[in-house]
Amino acid sequence: MADWHLVFHHPVSLTLATCEQVLNSVVDAPVAVQIGELDGNPRDFYARPITMTGERGDVRVGFTTSQSMLDASDPAPIITHANVTLSSATATFATKVAIWRALRTAFAAVGAGDRSLLSAAPIVDEADAAGEAATAMALRREISAALIEQVAVSANITITSPRVDIAPILAANQRAASILSVGLYDCGLQRLPASFSRFPNIESLWLHEDALDASALRGLSLPKLRQLTVRSMALRRVTKDELAGFPALEVLRLSDSPLESLDLAIIDVCPKLVRVYVENTPLEKNAAAMAELRARWPRMLWRYQDG
């Protein structure tokens, strides 16, 4: 089973003793604490890594954080984030949920909120696999609410493996006209939601969606888009009609996909294009197709190390 990565955040600071107290409240025996070497400089700040490990039943509970301080004698070092990993090859879903809930309660008692829902895909997947439909549904509601709260005032948008419908999340953003970059990763998309059209001034777009092919871009108008990355197992051909809405495009990344061909006329609708990356694709291995593209697009750079 996948590890669960939980994140707790305090708006001001936690103490090392408080973190140890929280961990000890959920494990079977006192945690083992390791304090790493101090690193930094007097101009900026110093920091040292903190790790704690314990067990509850057959679940390993691992804690990591960084303690910031002015120097080695600082009487009030700062800890704002606590990362907890639950690992087990045999524990039931219910067992791990119980530990998560215990951690959430204990951290809340010392003023730290739970941020785990922003990366809770493995938890939702295990709930589905365990037949815990009600829990999975409740988690999806919580994830959606957490993402809406985060995205509502974001300057840029990145959504990774949400396991929920992203359309209302995108629709919740209150700064749509000022959004310059959007990244959608493993959102289960086959097409872009209609709410995506709320962001006309995007300059960078990352789409890592295995069911999304280039046709999803057709009709999309992003006149300021300069960088486009598409990584998908459904990506085999890209035509000029699919990129016609991006006249300012300079960099097109299509690497690590089953891409077989690029329309020679793309350069007519994207005249500013200067870099096209196709590493690890069938197209890259097609010498004749690449020779034709190089002849038609003589100023193009084709690999990251070029130029």
Side-chain angles (χ1 to χ4, degrees):
M1 292 184 182
D3 291 348
W4 291 14
H5 298 287
L6 312 177
V7 181
F8 301 90
H9 175 262
H10 194 285
V12 182
S13 181
L14 295 165
T15 67
L16 181 57
T18 297
C19 293
E20 187 174 356
Q21 175 186 339
V22 166
L23 267 291
N24 279 329
S25 72
V26 300
V27 298
D28 296 331
V31 294
V33 181
Q34 290 186 320
I35 300 176
E37 295 293 326
L38 196 64
D39 186 35
N41 61 73
R43 184 187 62 210
D44 299 317
F45 62 88
Y46 291 88
R48 62 186 179 188
I50 307 292
T51 63
M52 301 183 200
T53 55
E55 294 183 355
R56 175 159 162 171
D58 52 356
V59 178
R60 181 182 182 277
V61 181
F63 169 98
T64 62
T65 192
S66 180
Q67 194 177 43
S68 301
M69 55 191 68
L70 298 175
D71 54 41
S73 61
D74 188 344
I78 296 172
I79 296 174
T80 58
H81 288 82
N83 304 296
V84 180
T85 301
L86 305 184
S87 306
S88 177
T90 57
T92 64
F93 174 78
T95 296
K96 289 198 281 188
V97 165
I99 298 173
W100 181 19
R101 287 173 176 162
L103 285 166
R104 178 184 285 188
T105 299
F107 272 113
V110 296
D114 187 359
R115 299 285 184 86
S116 308
L117 290 166
L118 299 178
S119 56
I123 303 176
V124 177
D125 291 344
E126 280 196 35
D128 286 334
E132 298 280 353
T135 300
M137 185 178 297
L139 283 171
R140 287 187 167 94
R141 285 196 297 266
E142 289 188 71
I143 289 169
S144 185
L147 285 170
I148 285 173
E149 180 181 3
Q150 180 194 55
V151 166
V153 294
S154 295
N156 296 296
I157 294 175
T158 299
I159 302 176
T160 304
S161 303
R163 300 301 190 265
V164 297
D165 179 11
I166 69 166
I169 298 167
L170 295 175
N173 185 270
Q174 300 165 12
R175 305 173 58 183
S178 65
I179 296 296
L180 299 182
S181 71
V182 173
L184 304 178
Y185 305 86
D186 187 30
C187 294
L189 299 179
Q190 293 183 322
R191 56 185 177 82
L192 295 176
S195 53
F196 189 83
S197 63
R198 300 180 64 244
F199 310 105
N201 298 316
I202 295 173
E203 296 180 2
S204 299
L205 175 60
W206 289 267
L207 298 172
H208 290 204
E209 297 289 334
D210 273 348
L212 199 70
D213 65 19
S215 67
L217 303 172
R218 193 179 296 247
L220 187 63
S221 178
L222 297 173
K224 298 182 180 180
L225 188 71
R226 296 186 299 107
Q227 300 185 54
L228 172 64
T229 300
V230 182
R231 183 171 297 170
S232 169
M233 295 309 296
L235 187 69
R236 297 189 180 279
R237 174 172 170 76
V238 181
T239 71
K240 71 177 182 66
D241 294 331
E242 291 149 354
L243 302 184
F246 317 137
L249 193 66
E250 298 172 6
V251 180
L252 178 62
R253 299 184 180 95
L254 305 170
S255 303
D256 304 304
S257 71
L259 180 72
E260 297 172 352
S261 66
L262 288 175
D263 186 348
L264 292 172
I266 285 173
I267 199 65
D268 297 330
V269 296
C270 300
K272 296 184 178 181
L273 197 61
V274 292
R275 290 178 179 269
V276 178
Y277 300 134
V278 295
E279 289 101 330
N280 302 317
T281 67
L283 175 60
E284 183 193 33
K285 298 175 175 64
N286 186 331
M290 288 302 299
E292 191 174 15
L293 283 164
R294 291 178 189 277
R296 180 70 171 83
W297 304 350
R299 65 191 181 102
M300 204 67 61
L301 300 177
W302 293 93
R303 300 183 65 85
Y304 287 106
Q305 62 266 37
D306 290 346

